[in-house]
Amino acid sequence: MNLPLRIAIDGPAASGKSTLAERLAKALGYLYFDTGVMYRAVTWAALQRGYAVEDADKLTELAANLDIDVRPPSTDDGRKYDVLVNGEDVTWAIRTPEVDANVSIVAAHPGVRAALTDKQRAIGRRGKVVMVGRDIGTVVMPDAELKIYLDASPEERARRRYQERLARGEQADYAQILAAVRARDRLDKGREVAPLRAADDAVILNSDGLSIGEVFEEALRLVKAMDC
Ligand code: DC
């Protein structure tokens, strides 16, 4: 039996797709690649430079020229990988509420998406990859052998983000996080280019009420059931 070479995992913010992808990649010996990191890196760099995130031309140029690198973790502070932008470690800087609030606007620019999609496809072509995002099954790797769309209710996802922030020792307000999750869903699903949606041939999993372990077992069963 041949395992699927490329696995695409899409879904809304905080649906658990990054955790699932990371565990699957580890179990299979595949590369785990979280494409949201790239949109976050461009957003962080734009805010640093004082660019208006609505400025499509500036943002497109920035996305095309920015050197974004994802490497094995250099520090044992809970990170899964290092994210470097032009050599600078931005692993935690791209996870702030300010980046959260602006990243969907940046990700809606067609020019930004084109530049980042090219970089993602190049990684996908090497195979043995579990790639996570919003448009991996529909746009980046429509020919992936296995596509999973991981869903969960907005309330469940906001609760998870809230717990994550508290666990990191940060301040958190559940109602505010829920409003932010809903706002990002609207932007991600409503944008014209590559909106968040399940590919027609994706397997849809809903993680409401399921543990990470249960979602992982179900996904692994799907992988093993495939004969590519
Ligand atoms: O998964 P995340 O929260 O780190 O993603 C950050 C943002 O990037 C999210 O609002 C949607 C966008 N994104 C996207 O449009 N396409 C992808 N393939 C990955 C992320």
Side-chain angles (χ1 to χ4, degrees), residues 1 7 13 59 62 64 72 83 99 123 131 133 158 165 168 170 192 197 203 213:
M1 187 178 75
I7 301 173
L59 270 289
L62 185 63
V83 182
V99 171
I123 292 168
M131 202 181 289
R165 295 239 164 98
R168 286 208 299 267
E170 295 170 14
E192 268 176 39
R197 69 170 180 86
V203 179

Side-chain angles (χ1 to χ4, degrees), residues 69-142:
D69 201 3
V70 182
R71 293 197 196 160
S74 60
T75 315
D76 185 16
D77 63 357
R79 64 180 62 194
K80 308 284 191 283
Y81 40 68
D82 283 6
V83 182
L84 305 177
V85 170
N86 293 342
E88 183 177 348
D89 186 337
V90 298
T91 312
W92 294 120
I94 62 169
R95 301 278 165 200
T96 59
E98 202 192 358
V99 171
D100 275 358
N102 287 285
V103 65
S104 293
I105 301 167
V106 172
H109 295 309
V112 170
R113 302 205 69 83
L116 299 188
T117 297
D118 277 354
K119 296 180 200 211
Q120 293 157 16
R121 284 192 178 136
I123 292 168
R125 273 195 292 274
R126 294 185 216 143
K128 292 201 164 194
V129 65
V130 184
M131 202 181 289
V132 188
R134 302 292 191 290
D135 61 341
I136 309 307
T138 52
V139 175
V140 178
M141 302 197 302

Side-chain angles (χ1 to χ4, degrees), residues 139-160:
V139 175
V140 178
M141 302 197 302
D143 50 352
E145 288 83 358
L146 176 62
K147 300 171 191 170
I148 294 174
Y149 186 88
L150 188 60
D151 214 347
S153 66
E155 291 78 11
E156 171 94 21
R157 290 183 282 126
R159 201 182 49 74
R160 290 179 192 158

Side-chain angles (χ1 to χ4, degrees), residues 20 148-152 203-207 215 218-219 222:
L20 170 64
I148 294 174
Y149 186 88
L150 188 60
D151 214 347
V203 179
I204 298 175
L205 295 181
N206 190 310
S207 70
V215 175
E218 178 59 17
L222 290 170

